[in-house]
Amino acid sequence: MAYDDLRSFLAALDAEGQLLRVSDEVLPEPDLAAAANAAGRIGEGAPALYFDNVKGFTDARIALNVHGSWTNHALALGLPKHTPVKEQVEIFASRWDDFPIAPERREDAPWRENTQAGGDVDLFSVLPLFRLNDGDGGFYLDKAAVVSRDPEAPDDFGKQNVGTYRIQVIGPDRLAFQPVPVHDVALHLHKAEEKGEDLPVAITLGNDPVMAIVSGMPMAYDQSEYEMAGALRGAPAPIATSPLTGFDVPWGSEVVIEGVIESRKRQIEGPFGEFTGHYSGGRRMPVIRVDRLSYRTNPVFESLYLGKPWTEVDYLVGPNTCVPLLKQLRAEFPEVQAVNAMYTHGMLVIISTAKRFGGFAKAVGMRAMTTRHGLGYVSQVIVVDEDVDPFDLPQVMWAMSAKVDPREDVVVVPNLSVVELAPAAQPAGITSKMIIDATTPVAPDVRGNFSTPAKDLPETREWAARLQQLRTAASAR
Amino acid sequence: MTTHAACPRCAFDAVRTLAASPVAGVWLVRQCERCLYTWRTTEPVRRTTREAYPEEFRMTPADIENAIEVPTVPPLRQP
Ligand SMILES: [Zn+2]
């Protein structure tokens, strides 16, 4: 089941008991953010939240925590809501193999219903903006899909980028914008600014649930997020042409904001409570002038709370961070079994792999750090054997405790690149990186006494399935 | 309605109104013209008053002036 817009997904969540409507009047601050913060603290299966009675607003509609549990993530991919995480990642990876699926262009985008342009643009009149964390510099758009094109290849569909970046609202028609240098939009901006030109952008809010997943996914520069959305949905992604920039934007968006990043200009932005669980900023960031707003009648404003993990963003980018690393590692090392890159955007990654020869696991760990995503994020890698499930943390801790000789198996490489946001980096953007080789040494690496491991009994797998069935039957009674 | 003479974050006294509540008279969204700190008048006092604003989030003119550029502006390429 592929959802073409946010509204149809919210309806599906509602039908599955995964949408909580809060009808009592709430304050925009601190209630909205605190409720979404709390959703991440109430245990498994947290619902999406929907608010439509917010003090001072007449017709605000706010959706939060839409992807904020494994239950909702499964439903976003059209899977049964109790699909285990490891299986969600495996299905994600197998659908990836269908890439590319060409999008389907439609002309009747519902966001064509209403328009503001030029001097009439007023973001506050359309969006019920609000603050997330105490120390944030202001109100943010933090779940948007930002579309930009390579100024040197404006007609190249693959090089058109769709990405999620943090955006502070600094005026009725002005935004501050954070393009992290490793991200595609920063490459586009660099090319435009070298020529002294503004960079046009289209910012789409309230997108279908798979669009939100692909726009936060680390993909190759010339791969199209829309073609990946098609693969993950199992159906072509519906797109439409935005009226001012002519860019390709999601057909089902609630709001489309168009304008330009003003060339060679920087202005104070932030701080902002980030996915790292720390604030970052204030820094001098690029600025966007908004020239046109298009929006559905009664738009739903979708936002996400982020701060000390786990929050919605961790579910949103968890599997989509694992899968590219899994694919890129397997391309050169087919021995790699599974990759868990779900801790703080893959700053820590756990990889299970078979070993070709002694020292192999450390090579796999080094490769993870030199992938496209690894350059900016991966600073700690734990490598475990092929029979250890990297999503099962007790198994990982067992491997660390039993297999690691710290002097031989912990490798630290100084002064490598990382995103500026990494709190432990010093200076910002530079960090040391560590590999912990928690695999069993194989020849010619002959260290340790690992000759007689205990293994699960041959009948265990069958019994696990039997126990699951008994439990399901019991809970259905 | 309470008026706020100065920015809670940097104490600058030029503050403008970005928005007013659609229900008249409930709140305003205010913004410091120097540090761009933006707040709603109905937020908790720790976000709206200089006295209660947390030390760790305060900003000085030097903080604004010396903040690093991300990303840096590249040199202009000769045509
Ligand atoms: Zn200020």
Side-chain angles (χ1 to χ4, degrees), chain A residues 29 129 131 134 194 266, chain B residues 38 40 46-47 71 77:
Chain A
E29 296 87 9
L129 299 162
R131 187 193 316 280
D134 273 350
E194 275 184 332
R266 300 290 183 270
Chain B
T38 304
R40 195 186 322 269
R46 65 182 188 270
R47 300 174 184 178
R77 205 162 56 187

Side-chain angles (χ1 to χ4, degrees), chain A residues 153-345:
Chain A
D155 300 323
D156 188 325
F157 188 79
K159 289 181 180 172
Q160 174 174 263
N161 183 62
V162 187
T164 302
Y165 309 96
R166 84 185 206 195
I167 304 167
Q168 185 183 350
V169 178
I170 57 171
D173 63 348
R174 298 194 76 73
L175 305 165
F177 179 68
Q178 175 178 270
V180 173
V182 298
H183 288 153
D184 291 348
V185 73
L187 298 172
H188 295 172
L189 180 64
H190 187 88
K191 290 180 181 188
E193 289 193 321
E194 275 184 332
K195 294 193 270 188
E197 292 172 0
D198 293 344
L199 183 76
V201 289
I203 300 167
T204 72
L205 288 167
N207 300 308
D208 76 73
V210 168
M211 213 51 239
I213 291 171
V214 295
S215 76
M217 190 152 95
M219 292 174 58
Y221 183 67
D222 58 357
Q223 286 182 330
S224 165
E225 284 80 4
Y226 295 123
E227 292 171 350
M228 181 58 77
L232 294 181
R233 284 158 51 91
I239 61 170
T241 307
S242 60
L244 181 66
T245 53
F247 290 174
D248 303 306
V249 293
W251 170 86
S253 303
E254 294 287 322
V255 179
V256 178
I257 299 168
E258 293 176 275
V260 296
I261 304 181
E262 294 180 333
S263 191
R264 311 185 66 80
K265 188 172 192 170
R266 300 290 183 270
Q267 203 163 356
I268 194 75
E269 186 267 5
F272 183 59
E274 274 285 0
F275 68 89
T276 59
H278 294 76
Y279 289 90
S280 82
R283 298 183 176 140
R284 300 178 67 82
M285 299 274 189
V287 182
I288 293 171
R289 183 190 73 233
V290 179
D291 295 318
R292 191 180 180 101
L293 271 179
S294 307
Y295 55 99
R296 290 184 77 155
T297 301
N298 299 327
V300 178
F301 180 51
E302 190 194 13
S303 180
L304 64 73
Y305 176 78
L306 72 173
K308 185 179 175 187
W310 272 48
T311 68
E312 183 183 353
V313 74
D314 298 293
Y315 296 96
L316 184 63
V317 303
N320 77 10
T321 309
C322 297
V323 173
L325 281 166
L326 175 68
K327 296 282 179 189
Q328 288 159 23
L329 288 171
R330 264 191 198 154
E332 286 153 64
F333 302 123
E335 292 86 352
V336 169
Q337 303 293 309
V339 175
N340 177 354
M342 302 204 301
Y343 296 93
T344 314
H345 223 331

